[in-house]
Amino acid sequence: MEATSTILFVEPDLSRRERVYDLLTGHGYRVTAVSSGDQALDILKDARPDLVLVDLDLSHVSGWRLVHRIRSFDAYTPIFLLDGSPEAAHQPSIEKAEVQAILSVNALQDHELLAVIQQGLHHSPSGRQEHWPWTILVVDDEPKLQRVLDHFLQ
């Protein structure tokens, strides 16, 4: 296990959010747990977790919509979709390509979730920043451009 790995967990149900948070932090992961897609997107403006867990049943924006929005600016972070209904397995393949797996949260045991997360962390694509072999120097005094570039390059 990678004790320094960070996970963003998006789950509207407080009891499930607390249970999974306790499980993951108890195994050495740094976890940010939020209840909505909007909160997740706010966090992703400034930080890039090593892995994202998203519940399908979010208010205001569906889990699929959140995944699509994340993929619009981050093609590499592993994303796992959590769902308790059997319909999750029948989503269009184009959407399945945006996530590493759709996990049935009702049938998933704690040790299985930990194994999936560990596998996702070890098999994440090599396009992430920590694998980027170059240094980039940007010289510009426009604050908005600096923020955009900083966000894009993280």
PDB file of all heavy atoms in Angstrom, residues 24 29 80 109-123:
ATOM      1  N   LEU A  24     -10.474   3.706   4.676  1.00  0.00           N
ATOM      2  CA  LEU A  24      -9.320   4.121   3.872  1.00  0.00           C
ATOM      3  C   LEU A  24      -8.245   4.810   4.710  1.00  0.00           C
ATOM      4  O   LEU A  24      -7.054   4.517   4.551  1.00  0.00           O
ATOM      5  CB  LEU A  24      -9.775   5.021   2.725  1.00  0.00           C
ATOM      6  CG  LEU A  24     -10.709   4.371   1.701  1.00  0.00           C
ATOM      7  CD1 LEU A  24     -11.154   5.376   0.659  1.00  0.00           C
ATOM      8  CD2 LEU A  24     -10.061   3.158   1.053  1.00  0.00           C
ATOM      9  N   TYR A  29      -4.315   5.761   3.733  1.00  0.00           N
ATOM     10  CA  TYR A  29      -4.600   6.679   2.641  1.00  0.00           C
ATOM     11  C   TYR A  29      -4.990   8.047   3.189  1.00  0.00           C
ATOM     12  O   TYR A  29      -5.599   8.150   4.253  1.00  0.00           O
ATOM     13  CB  TYR A  29      -5.728   6.147   1.758  1.00  0.00           C
ATOM     14  CG  TYR A  29      -5.373   4.867   1.035  1.00  0.00           C
ATOM     15  CD1 TYR A  29      -5.876   3.649   1.468  1.00  0.00           C
ATOM     16  CD2 TYR A  29      -4.525   4.887  -0.063  1.00  0.00           C
ATOM     17  CE1 TYR A  29      -5.547   2.468   0.806  1.00  0.00           C
ATOM     18  CE2 TYR A  29      -4.188   3.712  -0.718  1.00  0.00           C
ATOM     19  CZ  TYR A  29      -4.699   2.508  -0.277  1.00  0.00           C
ATOM     20  OH  TYR A  29      -4.369   1.345  -0.925  1.00  0.00           O
ATOM     21  N   PHE A  80     -13.182   5.450 -10.054  1.00  0.00           N
ATOM     22  CA  PHE A  80     -14.030   4.291  -9.834  1.00  0.00           C
ATOM     23  C   PHE A  80     -15.418   4.793  -9.480  1.00  0.00           C
ATOM     24  O   PHE A  80     -15.564   5.655  -8.623  1.00  0.00           O
ATOM     25  CB  PHE A  80     -13.471   3.406  -8.718  1.00  0.00           C
ATOM     26  CG  PHE A  80     -12.204   2.711  -9.108  1.00  0.00           C
ATOM     27  CD1 PHE A  80     -10.985   3.327  -8.931  1.00  0.00           C
ATOM     28  CD2 PHE A  80     -12.243   1.450  -9.670  1.00  0.00           C
ATOM     29  CE1 PHE A  80      -9.811   2.700  -9.306  1.00  0.00           C
ATOM     30  CE2 PHE A  80     -11.078   0.806 -10.046  1.00  0.00           C
ATOM     31  CZ  PHE A  80      -9.851   1.438  -9.865  1.00  0.00           C
ATOM     32  N   GLN A 109     -17.152  -6.051  -0.345  1.00  0.00           N
ATOM     33  CA  GLN A 109     -16.599  -6.178   1.009  1.00  0.00           C
ATOM     34  C   GLN A 109     -15.441  -5.186   1.151  1.00  0.00           C
ATOM     35  O   GLN A 109     -14.831  -4.789   0.168  1.00  0.00           O
ATOM     36  CB  GLN A 109     -16.093  -7.607   1.236  1.00  0.00           C
ATOM     37  CG  GLN A 109     -17.163  -8.669   1.098  1.00  0.00           C
ATOM     38  CD  GLN A 109     -18.204  -8.550   2.201  1.00  0.00           C
ATOM     39  OE1 GLN A 109     -17.898  -8.285   3.345  1.00  0.00           O
ATOM     40  NE2 GLN A 109     -19.460  -8.762   1.837  1.00  0.00           N
ATOM     41  N   ASP A 110     -15.135  -4.821   2.390  1.00  0.00           N
ATOM     42  CA  ASP A 110     -14.069  -3.850   2.634  1.00  0.00           C
ATOM     43  C   ASP A 110     -12.751  -4.271   2.000  1.00  0.00           C
ATOM     44  O   ASP A 110     -12.076  -3.463   1.356  1.00  0.00           O
ATOM     45  CB  ASP A 110     -13.872  -3.627   4.135  1.00  0.00           C
ATOM     46  CG  ASP A 110     -15.017  -2.844   4.762  1.00  0.00           C
ATOM     47  OD1 ASP A 110     -15.872  -2.326   4.017  1.00  0.00           O
ATOM     48  OD2 ASP A 110     -15.039  -2.744   6.006  1.00  0.00           O
ATOM     49  N   HIS A 111     -12.368  -5.532   2.175  1.00  0.00           N
ATOM     50  CA  HIS A 111     -11.086  -5.987   1.627  1.00  0.00           C
ATOM     51  C   HIS A 111     -11.087  -5.952   0.099  1.00  0.00           C
ATOM     52  O   HIS A 111     -10.056  -5.717  -0.528  1.00  0.00           O
ATOM     53  CB  HIS A 111     -10.729  -7.392   2.140  1.00  0.00           C
ATOM     54  CG  HIS A 111     -11.578  -8.485   1.582  1.00  0.00           C
ATOM     55  ND1 HIS A 111     -12.829  -8.780   2.079  1.00  0.00           N
ATOM     56  CD2 HIS A 111     -11.358  -9.343   0.562  1.00  0.00           C
ATOM     57  CE1 HIS A 111     -13.342  -9.780   1.386  1.00  0.00           C
ATOM     58  NE2 HIS A 111     -12.470 -10.152   0.468  1.00  0.00           N
ATOM     59  N   GLU A 112     -12.257  -6.118  -0.521  1.00  0.00           N
ATOM     60  CA  GLU A 112     -12.343  -6.035  -1.986  1.00  0.00           C
ATOM     61  C   GLU A 112     -12.172  -4.593  -2.451  1.00  0.00           C
ATOM     62  O   GLU A 112     -11.486  -4.327  -3.442  1.00  0.00           O
ATOM     63  CB  GLU A 112     -13.685  -6.586  -2.459  1.00  0.00           C
ATOM     64  CG  GLU A 112     -13.835  -8.077  -2.232  1.00  0.00           C
ATOM     65  CD  GLU A 112     -15.247  -8.571  -2.484  1.00  0.00           C
ATOM     66  OE1 GLU A 112     -16.228  -7.872  -2.104  1.00  0.00           O
ATOM     67  OE2 GLU A 112     -15.371  -9.660  -3.063  1.00  0.00           O
ATOM     68  N   LEU A 113     -12.796  -3.655  -1.735  1.00  0.00           N
ATOM     69  CA  LEU A 113     -12.636  -2.249  -2.078  1.00  0.00           C
ATOM     70  C   LEU A 113     -11.173  -1.840  -1.949  1.00  0.00           C
ATOM     71  O   LEU A 113     -10.626  -1.169  -2.824  1.00  0.00           O
ATOM     72  CB  LEU A 113     -13.517  -1.362  -1.186  1.00  0.00           C
ATOM     73  CG  LEU A 113     -13.394   0.147  -1.404  1.00  0.00           C
ATOM     74  CD1 LEU A 113     -13.746   0.525  -2.838  1.00  0.00           C
ATOM     75  CD2 LEU A 113     -14.265   0.903  -0.420  1.00  0.00           C
ATOM     76  N   LEU A 114     -10.527  -2.245  -0.873  1.00  0.00           N
ATOM     77  CA  LEU A 114      -9.108  -1.926  -0.687  1.00  0.00           C
ATOM     78  C   LEU A 114      -8.254  -2.515  -1.808  1.00  0.00           C
ATOM     79  O   LEU A 114      -7.335  -1.857  -2.309  1.00  0.00           O
ATOM     80  CB  LEU A 114      -8.619  -2.419   0.669  1.00  0.00           C
ATOM     81  CG  LEU A 114      -9.184  -1.672   1.877  1.00  0.00           C
ATOM     82  CD1 LEU A 114      -8.875  -2.432   3.157  1.00  0.00           C
ATOM     83  CD2 LEU A 114      -8.648  -0.252   1.931  1.00  0.00           C
ATOM     84  N   ALA A 115      -8.550  -3.730  -2.217  1.00  0.00           N
ATOM     85  CA  ALA A 115      -7.792  -4.367  -3.296  1.00  0.00           C
ATOM     86  C   ALA A 115      -7.984  -3.628  -4.619  1.00  0.00           C
ATOM     87  O   ALA A 115      -7.021  -3.419  -5.373  1.00  0.00           O
ATOM     88  CB  ALA A 115      -8.209  -5.834  -3.440  1.00  0.00           C
ATOM     89  N   VAL A 116      -9.206  -3.211  -4.910  1.00  0.00           N
ATOM     90  CA  VAL A 116      -9.487  -2.474  -6.139  1.00  0.00           C
ATOM     91  C   VAL A 116      -8.749  -1.140  -6.136  1.00  0.00           C
ATOM     92  O   VAL A 116      -8.152  -0.742  -7.144  1.00  0.00           O
ATOM     93  CB  VAL A 116     -11.010  -2.267  -6.313  1.00  0.00           C
ATOM     94  CG1 VAL A 116     -11.310  -1.236  -7.380  1.00  0.00           C
ATOM     95  CG2 VAL A 116     -11.688  -3.587  -6.624  1.00  0.00           C
ATOM     96  N   ILE A 117      -8.776  -0.451  -5.008  1.00  0.00           N
ATOM     97  CA  ILE A 117      -8.090   0.838  -4.902  1.00  0.00           C
ATOM     98  C   ILE A 117      -6.587   0.647  -5.081  1.00  0.00           C
ATOM     99  O   ILE A 117      -5.939   1.386  -5.826  1.00  0.00           O
ATOM    100  CB  ILE A 117      -8.420   1.518  -3.566  1.00  0.00           C
ATOM    101  CG1 ILE A 117      -9.868   2.018  -3.604  1.00  0.00           C
ATOM    102  CG2 ILE A 117      -7.451   2.657  -3.273  1.00  0.00           C
ATOM    103  CD1 ILE A 117     -10.387   2.514  -2.281  1.00  0.00           C
ATOM    104  N   GLN A 118      -6.031  -0.333  -4.411  1.00  0.00           N
ATOM    105  CA  GLN A 118      -4.598  -0.575  -4.527  1.00  0.00           C
ATOM    106  C   GLN A 118      -4.221  -0.904  -5.972  1.00  0.00           C
ATOM    107  O   GLN A 118      -3.224  -0.398  -6.494  1.00  0.00           O
ATOM    108  CB  GLN A 118      -4.177  -1.701  -3.591  1.00  0.00           C
ATOM    109  CG  GLN A 118      -2.674  -1.848  -3.480  1.00  0.00           C
ATOM    110  CD  GLN A 118      -2.283  -2.827  -2.392  1.00  0.00           C
ATOM    111  OE1 GLN A 118      -3.079  -3.652  -1.957  1.00  0.00           O
ATOM    112  NE2 GLN A 118      -1.045  -2.735  -1.955  1.00  0.00           N
ATOM    113  N   GLN A 119      -5.017  -1.719  -6.622  1.00  0.00           N
ATOM    114  CA  GLN A 119      -4.754  -2.056  -8.016  1.00  0.00           C
ATOM    115  C   GLN A 119      -4.865  -0.807  -8.901  1.00  0.00           C
ATOM    116  O   GLN A 119      -4.047  -0.600  -9.785  1.00  0.00           O
ATOM    117  CB  GLN A 119      -5.716  -3.131  -8.493  1.00  0.00           C
ATOM    118  CG  GLN A 119      -5.455  -3.566  -9.912  1.00  0.00           C
ATOM    119  CD  GLN A 119      -6.402  -4.661 -10.367  1.00  0.00           C
ATOM    120  OE1 GLN A 119      -7.441  -4.896  -9.762  1.00  0.00           O
ATOM    121  NE2 GLN A 119      -6.056  -5.310 -11.448  1.00  0.00           N
ATOM    122  N   GLY A 120      -5.878   0.009  -8.652  1.00  0.00           N
ATOM    123  CA  GLY A 120      -6.042   1.242  -9.424  1.00  0.00           C
ATOM    124  C   GLY A 120      -4.867   2.183  -9.267  1.00  0.00           C
ATOM    125  O   GLY A 120      -4.432   2.819 -10.227  1.00  0.00           O
ATOM    126  N   LEU A 121      -4.339   2.265  -8.064  1.00  0.00           N
ATOM    127  CA  LEU A 121      -3.187   3.137  -7.819  1.00  0.00           C
ATOM    128  C   LEU A 121      -1.932   2.606  -8.499  1.00  0.00           C
ATOM    129  O   LEU A 121      -1.128   3.376  -9.018  1.00  0.00           O
ATOM    130  CB  LEU A 121      -2.952   3.287  -6.315  1.00  0.00           C
ATOM    131  CG  LEU A 121      -3.997   4.112  -5.577  1.00  0.00           C
ATOM    132  CD1 LEU A 121      -3.838   3.955  -4.075  1.00  0.00           C
ATOM    133  CD2 LEU A 121      -3.901   5.581  -5.983  1.00  0.00           C
ATOM    134  N   HIS A 122      -1.757   1.312  -8.506  1.00  0.00           N
ATOM    135  CA  HIS A 122      -0.554   0.729  -9.098  1.00  0.00           C
ATOM    136  C   HIS A 122      -0.610   0.658 -10.613  1.00  0.00           C
ATOM    137  O   HIS A 122       0.421   0.523 -11.257  1.00  0.00           O
ATOM    138  CB  HIS A 122      -0.294  -0.666  -8.527  1.00  0.00           C
ATOM    139  CG  HIS A 122       0.162  -0.626  -7.108  1.00  0.00           C
ATOM    140  ND1 HIS A 122       1.316   0.006  -6.704  1.00  0.00           N
ATOM    141  CD2 HIS A 122      -0.401  -1.111  -5.972  1.00  0.00           C
ATOM    142  CE1 HIS A 122       1.455  -0.106  -5.397  1.00  0.00           C
ATOM    143  NE2 HIS A 122       0.420  -0.779  -4.931  1.00  0.00           N
ATOM    144  N   HIS A 123      -1.807   0.748 -11.188  1.00  0.00           N
ATOM    145  CA  HIS A 123      -1.937   0.647 -12.636  1.00  0.00           C
ATOM    146  C   HIS A 123      -2.394   1.960 -13.259  1.00  0.00           C
ATOM    147  O   HIS A 123      -2.915   1.961 -14.362  1.00  0.00           O
ATOM    148  CB  HIS A 123      -2.919  -0.475 -13.013  1.00  0.00           C
ATOM    149  CG  HIS A 123      -2.388  -1.820 -12.681  1.00  0.00           C
ATOM    150  ND1 HIS A 123      -2.724  -2.462 -11.523  1.00  0.00           N
ATOM    151  CD2 HIS A 123      -1.523  -2.628 -13.336  1.00  0.00           C
ATOM    152  CE1 HIS A 123      -2.096  -3.623 -11.473  1.00  0.00           C
ATOM    153  NE2 HIS A 123      -1.362  -3.741 -12.568  1.00  0.00           N
TER     154      HIS A 123
END
